[in-house]
Amino acid sequence: MIGERLQELRKDHGVSQAQLAELLGVSHYTISSYECNRSDPDDNSKIIIAKLFDVSVDYLIGLIDEPLSFNRNIRSVSLPQSFTKEECGDVLDYIKYLEFKKSKINE
């Protein structure tokens, strides 16, 4: 799982295997090995990768499917696991409503 996510993140951010290898202090062959799931980065490397691409380590290793920011703050909201996709959509719709309401007040 980590290999596919790493490759996708790296490509989406326009980072070459060689550039990532330099940041992690490994060879580009090692990065290729990670991306082919032949080996896994050590924990410190996972943290560096998560910070670099601003995703959680949980997302990187496949525990969650939502690429939450590594730098979560008070504005990050975690919805209950029991929420259905529809309920999550309702939350997003409500946020859009609040943004609309705020824009009308500021006019």
Side-chain angles (χ1 to χ4, degrees), residues 22-58:
E22 186 174 326
L23 290 168
L24 296 178
V26 299
S27 74
H28 74 278
Y29 296 110
T30 301
I31 301 301
S32 177
S33 178
Y34 295 161
E35 291 182 358
C36 292
N37 290 310
R38 287 191 300 265
S39 65
D40 284 336
D42 63 26
D43 290 345
N44 189 55
S45 293
K46 289 174 189 167
I47 292 169
I48 293 168
I49 293 166
K51 285 181 180 180
L52 176 67
F53 298 124
D54 192 26
V55 295
S56 70
V57 175
D58 288 345

Side-chain angles (χ1 to χ4, degrees), residues 58-75:
D58 288 345
Y59 173 77
L60 185 63
I61 64 174
L63 289 177
I64 61 174
D65 291 328
E66 180 73 24
L68 300 174
S69 171
F70 183 86
N71 298 307
R72 289 184 296 270
N73 60 31
I74 190 78
R75 297 191 178 277

